[in-house]
């Protein structure tokens, strides 16, 4: 007496779910890292926009702190000589690193 079975057995279903769980747990840190780096790229873009605004407003070279969407950006100026000023924007990204973008302006 032989049975004809056309479906999955319970063991096959458990093995498939275990394989799916293993793949998911292996990819979850990678997906999380990609999402954090995407947010850091948005912070970098915001800082570049702030730097461009400060450099186009070159009539006043003042240091200031700006908070945009909960992130604190610090704008600082240094004199490089030969009528050249250096503007830098510093902020902490979502990983906790201190990041800086700089640009130069002729006076």
């Amino acid at each position: 007496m032989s049975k004809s079975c056309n479906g999955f057995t319970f063991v096959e279903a458990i093995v498939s779910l275990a394989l799916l769980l293993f793949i998911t747990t292996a990819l979850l840190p990678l997906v999380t890292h990609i999402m954090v780096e995407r947010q850091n790229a948005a912070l970098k873009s915001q800082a570049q926009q702030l730097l461009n605004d400060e450099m186009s407003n070159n009539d006043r070279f003042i240091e200031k702190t700006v908070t945009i969407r909960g992130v604190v950006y610090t704008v600082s100026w240094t004199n490089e000589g030969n009528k050249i000023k250096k503007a830098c924007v510093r902020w902490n990204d979502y990983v906790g690193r201190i990041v800086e973008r700089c640009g130069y302006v002729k006076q």
Side-chain angles (χ1 to χ4, degrees), residues 43-93:
L43 292 180
K44 184 178 177 181
S45 174
Q46 184 67 44
Q48 185 65 44
Q49 181 66 37
L50 180 63
L51 183 64
N52 290 342
D53 291 345
E54 288 296 316
M55 289 171 57
S56 66
N57 238 355
N58 60 3
D59 56 337
R60 49 189 180 114
F61 302 107
I62 58 172
E63 296 190 12
K64 65 181 180 178
T65 302
V66 180
T67 302
I68 303 173
R69 285 185 239 136
V71 179
V72 178
Y73 297 94
T74 305
V75 180
S76 62
W77 290 88
T78 55
N79 193 0
E80 295 290 312
N82 294 334
K83 296 184 178 181
I84 295 177
K85 289 256 188 187
K86 179 181 175 182
C88 291
V89 177
R90 287 183 193 90
W91 72 97
N92 288 336
D93 66 2

